[in-house]
Amino acid sequence: MKISELSPEYRQPPLHAGLLTDLNRVVADVETLDASDSSSPEKIAADLRRLLTKLASAASSSSGPDAAFRLKVWNLGFRLWNACVDRANHGFPTRVAEAEIRQAAPELLLLAGLPEDIPNARAKAASFFHRTGLVWLDLGRADLASACFEKATPLVSAADSEGERAVLLDLNLARARVAFSTGEQALAVALLSRSKPLAAASSEGVKALAEEYLRIGKAALSTKPPDPALDAANLLTEALDLCEKAAASPSCATPTTPGSTPATPNLQVIKDQCLRFLAVERLEAKDYEGTLRCISVWRASLGLGEEHPSIGFMALRACLGSGNMAEAERELKTLMANAEAPDCVCVSAAELYVASTGPDAAFKVLIALATRCHTGAAAAAVRVLKKVVESAGAETGHARAIAELASDERVVKLFDGPTNTHERSTMHALLWTCGTEHFHAKNYEIGADLIERSMLYVSRDDESRSRRASCFRVLCLCHMALRHLDRAQEFIIEAEKVEPNIRCAFLKFKILLQKEEEDEAIKVMKTMLGYVDFNPEFLTLSVHEAMACKSLRVAIAALTFLLGLYSARKPMPMTEAAVLRSLITLLLREPGSEAEILKYSRRAKLRMAELGAEAIFGKGTVGLRERNWFAVSTWNMALKMVKEEMYDYCTEFFELAAEFFSPVNGEDDANGILVCKSLIMGVSAMFHVEEVNKSPLSDSDLKRGVEMLSKAGKLLPLTLPSAPVTSDPLEDNNLLFLHTSNFYRLLSRMDTSAHPQQLQLVKNFAASKACTPGHLLKLGEIASEGTQPNLQVAEFLLKASITTALASHSPSYGIISAALRRLVCLAGIQDLSGSTSDAVYDVFQQAYQIVVGLRDGEYPFEEGKWLATTAWNKANLASRLRQGSVARKWMKMAIDLSRHFENMKQYVSEMEEYFERFQKSSGKEPDECSQQDGAPSTSLSGSVSQPGLV
């Protein structure tokens, strides 16, 4: 009985039958897989991974699968592979899951072993791995591709058969490609070298190896790998040598039968490519002779057929690089004549040619391009001319040649028609840019020429108005720079016709300035304000232009126009204070402009009051500096007018200075002294005006002066010295003295009810530390003069002056003597008014007491003489009036005073004689004068006639 005849319960199932069943099911699923089912490939790939793991475990067990099992696995592997190939042939998308399913087929073959019944089993398994690796390469997974190639290589490494050698060659070439892409260039070259013996046995192998050398050579040429062992020239040379050897072998001879193909495939295409890229490599290495040799061989191999356009292009580059311009021109003509050469290649060649030869040869090239490029002649001309401009640089001769070329009728005609609108704009922009570059380089003549030629490419429609106007304006600027002012004016007039705007008006203004037509320039400047695109910045520029042309009048007018815009609250380029400052600065240069300066200084003050200091001058340090400028300016202007004795505007300038110096918004009163000084000197200027004009101050002026001095009085404590002033010069700039004297003079214009106020005013001054004897004397003189003198104040001041002077360490007897003389005059007025006191004699007694003990010359000579003479003359008057006792006392005073002055001693003896005669003639009347306390005593006698002293 056979085993098969046994009942089922006694029959043993095949080993690993379940694994085969599962594999068969999965393979069947792949064979029936629908393209619309997107989730199934991933599931099948996962199932295959699981089954491959089980199969690997079974294959490694001690009771491994038998030959029948292995054969069935091989069959399943082939079915799986064929199913994957069918799916690929029917256009199924190549995805990772599909690649995993495909790789499962060679994996099954590898795990099943190599059955002896299957021919070329190793080559087939290795081929499956090779083709699967190529799929992974297409998916960008070089790592998985390399793994497939590495699994396949040991299977055919022995290369026992032709099939194994062919597969091993394919594997080596694929591994070389992967190694190169992953940066292992040395390994790639080694694999190619290792493949040479394998390729030698087959013409197809030679072709494949040559293609791979070519592919890697081209990649090395484009990527420039850092590895010096990977030289593009060497790789391309290897490919070329393989082609040459294959062509020389007997197997590639003529076909054996008519119509049959040679055993060796046609390698001419690969050879041509090798020569082409070798020429590129030599060209990049600037080996122009080597490039031309490669091209020569290439052309020789072509025979009479049409050559590729790249040959002529590279030949042109090599000829230009080697400096062979004649040969380069022939190459360019050949390329232009090649019907297969694209227009873009011809234009690029023309660009290279004219870049080397310059604008002289550009015209012939442009005409050739116009003939060659039937549809894009204008675009080609633009490209060539652009290259000419770039290569010409700033050389004037080349620029003139460009201008002539661009304006030639035949070149301009290329740009006719509505289809060339873009090219015309580009051409205009090219010439415009070139012209403006020369303009900025101050090559104005050539710049103007290029700009004018550029207008040949600007249409006269409304859309081009702005461009044409810009050309006219630049031409105007060029001729202005060349001082061709009439020509410049013609261009700006044309620009205004095309597009009237503020820029045209400004250029016209500049021309009129340079022509020194100031009235017309001011008129044009005034019209600027009416333009729609007017910007105040143009008035600022007008000021600068006027100053550059030294036209002060026009600059002032521009600033005046600019100033008129501030009331409209428009955005302005400068602060209003800056405009006023500039205007005043310019007016200071103009003689007789004091009224205008005052007008704009007034405006600064009014705007400060209206808007606030920060709004008009600015904030922070900048604003403070700006306001100080106005303060100093008005102050200096006032001082200048005082110096020149032009007092009409002095008071207001001083008053404005005080306003500008005054602190605002809580600022520190750092300028308090200047404010005080400005106010006081302003009132002083009022009195000067009164004196010069011989007209009394009005009531409003008096009220204004009182307000100014009242304000100054509040600031005076800041100016007072901390110690008494020991010197007594009559300084007009002593603030407290000026304040007191001016205030006193204002009060004196009122009725006598102000006398007590005047007295208190001078008493306060006399008590201050700033008071000096000279100040008191001056005030005393003021008090004793005028239509309404205040004698009480005058007496107080003169006596205080004497007292203060005597109390000093070095008394000024000039001041003392002057005060004594004034006191004598005041006392005389009191005596004449009927006073019972002998006030004049009291003053002489005080003078005598001061004189006694002084060295000769300390007391002023003239004042001493005046005292003695006055006393003697008073005695003479009393004698005539028969007042003997009065006459005697004044004679004694005169004689005693004369004895203390060296220059009066010559008169003393004569005076004494007269006094004795007078004593005898007047009888024995008691001498009342000698009985008074402090009276000078004498024993002189006089005669009846009294000598006169002068």
Side-chain angles (χ1 to χ4, degrees), residues 359 395-407 438 445-446 449-450 453:
E395 188 177 341
T396 304
H398 283 175
R400 293 190 187 279
I402 292 168
E404 294 294 332
L405 178 63
S407 60
H438 281 277
E445 288 188 6
I446 188 62
D449 193 16
L450 286 166
R453 306 296 174 100

Side-chain angles (χ1 to χ4, degrees), residues 571-592:
M572 301 299 287
M574 302 167 61
T575 63
E576 187 173 358
V579 176
L580 287 167
R581 171 168 48 79
S582 301
L583 192 52
I584 292 171
T585 302
L586 294 182
L587 287 169
L588 286 170
R589 303 182 188 179
E590 286 281 288

Side-chain angles (χ1 to χ4, degrees), residues 221-222 224 279-288 291 317:
L221 186 63
S222 60
K224 301 291 189 300
V280 172
E281 189 276 332
R282 288 293 84 201
L283 191 62
E284 290 184 356
K286 297 183 179 180
D287 178 9
Y288 303 116
T291 303
R317 289 184 61 186

Side-chain angles (χ1 to χ4, degrees), residues 22 41 45 64 239 242 297-298 330 352 368 462 499 515 593-594 633 707 749 757 805 823 908:
D22 292 340
L242 285 170
V297 175
W298 190 0
R330 283 193 291 273
L352 289 174
D462 289 341
E499 188 184 47
K515 293 176 75 173
S593 58
E594 292 80 9
S633 174
E707 290 175 356
R749 306 301 173 91
Q757 189 177 353
L823 273 176
V908 171

Side-chain angles (χ1 to χ4, degrees), residues 9-57:
E9 60 270 17
Y10 294 103
R11 196 179 303 165
Q12 293 293 331
L15 190 63
H16 309 300
L19 183 58
L20 287 174
T21 302
D22 292 340
L23 281 172
N24 189 63
R25 176 181 54 78
V26 173
V27 172
D29 289 342
V30 175
E31 290 172 335
T32 59
L33 186 62
D34 188 2
S36 61
D37 191 354
S38 59
S39 62
S40 294
E42 282 75 12
K43 180 179 180 300
I44 292 173
D47 291 342
L48 284 172
R49 285 195 299 270
R50 177 174 53 80
L51 292 174
L52 286 172
T53 302
K54 289 183 177 181
L55 184 59
S57 176

